[in-house]
Amino acid sequence: SRLAWYIQISDTHVDSVIPGWTEAVPRLNWVLTDVVSTVQPDFIVATGDLTDGTEGVFYAGPYDNEWQLYRSTVLNTGISAPDYYFDLPGNHDAYGDNGLTRFQMWSIQGPYNQSTQTGWRLDRPWGSLCFFALATATNNGKPWPADDSELVEAELAQFEDFTLGNDTCLQWVVFGHHDYAAVEGSDGFRSVAAEAGIVRYAHGHNHDYKTTIGDDGILRLRIDSLGHATNNNVVIHAFDDEA
């Protein structure tokens, strides 16, 4: 009676045609059809590198055809509600795109929120769970191999405003593409997280699985790539009462 669960995927890298990395679209379709119908999650989170930024050759994006393919793959499964499918940008989505304009045009969350970040609640009769998707990808549009990551003042302020407006939540999870410990502006994130009592953070980027608890007491869960790995990587998170 006090159970909730959701799905996380990461690093879909849609439209990558490098040999051995051509399963991005079929795997994303599999998650949003077979997995969703079986697991019946409360929502889905896609933690960045939605597109590959290569058009099969060089990391010289952005490429509108990749973004259109990503968006159409999601929408063609019948999933279109921005209060059900939460995507956020990764470094591949930021290559050559100052201000992450393609994310704001072609993702699911971007056009809905006119923002690169969003927060949401899962309200139950027994209490509320709160979530926030951070845009850890750079906003400067530098091409590969820059791979910058940052949380600028406006992004941290948006995060803080959401936490202050939802101070009655029983549990919190924050999502990003990068491990926040390596992101410029991470001290600001830690400060807000400590004030709000946030102790869970989930991300992708490194294309592997790892769990870390740092000196700040925040559990950091890193999940493997859906599009650039050899397995159908998907994670199911569950809240059971206070656990």
Side-chain angles (χ1 to χ4, degrees):
S1 62
R2 294 170 68 93
L3 188 65
W5 64 91
Y6 60 92
I7 286 173
Q8 181 191 359
I9 56 175
S10 195
D11 298 80
T12 50
H13 290 280
V14 163
D15 205 29
S16 174
V17 297
I18 298 172
W21 288 357
T22 59
E23 298 301 313
V25 169
R27 287 177 180 167
L28 180 57
N29 183 75
W30 165 76
V31 168
L32 300 184
T33 54
D34 292 354
V35 175
V36 166
S37 66
T38 301
V39 176
Q40 299 184 34
D42 289 301
F43 58 84
I44 305 155
V45 181
T47 48
D49 281 0
L50 311 174
T51 64
D52 197 51
T54 62
E55 205 173 38
V57 184
F58 302 109
Y59 290 116
Y63 296 108
D64 284 349
N65 67 315
E66 290 187 352
W67 279 106
Q68 291 164 8
L69 180 58
Y70 166 74
R71 183 174 176 85
S72 65
T73 300
V74 176
L75 297 181
N76 287 343
T77 66
I79 292 175
S80 60
D83 61 351
Y84 185 73
Y85 185 88
F86 298 91
D87 48 10
L88 58 92
N91 52 298
H92 282 247
D93 305 314
Y95 290 150
D97 191 6
N98 188 14
L100 294 166
T101 61
R102 274 26 175 230
F103 176 86
Q104 296 191 62
M105 289 172 56
W106 296 108
S107 68
I108 301 301
Q109 287 299 312
Y112 177 72
N113 291 306
Q114 293 298 297
S115 175
T116 58
Q117 302 189 136
T118 188
W120 65 100
R121 295 166 57 106
L122 191 62
D123 296 317
R124 292 290 188 263
W126 41 267
S128 298
L129 308 175
C130 281
F131 307 89
F132 196 89
L134 283 172
T136 62
T138 183
N139 300 279
N140 60 26
K142 287 184 179 179
W144 183 87
D147 270 358
D148 293 345
S149 59
E150 62 179 352
L151 287 167
V152 299
E153 186 174 336
E155 292 165 341
L156 290 169
Q158 183 184 2
F159 173 46
E160 183 174 25
D161 287 346
F162 187 79
T163 62
L164 291 174
N166 294 277
D167 58 356
T168 60
C169 288
L170 297 177
Q171 303 280 351
W172 277 89
V173 179
V174 176
F175 304 95
H177 179 64
H178 304 83
D179 183 336
Y180 67 82
V183 174
E184 184 178 348
S186 62
D187 288 344
F189 166 76
R190 286 188 177 95
S191 176
V192 176
E195 184 177 356
I198 296 170
V199 294
R200 297 179 182 90
Y201 180 88
H203 67 102
H205 184 57
N206 292 76
H207 296 197
D208 62 4
Y209 286 104
K210 185 176 182 180
T211 303
T212 305
I213 300 178
D215 293 340
D216 53 18
I218 298 176
L219 173 68
R220 309 201 302 265
L221 172 66
R222 187 166 78 207
I223 79 165
D224 206 346
S225 167
L226 179 68
H228 273 193
T230 56
N231 298 308
N232 293 330
N233 292 302
V234 60
V235 169
I236 303 170
H237 300 258
F239 284 100
D240 185 355
D241 196 17
E242 295 298 318

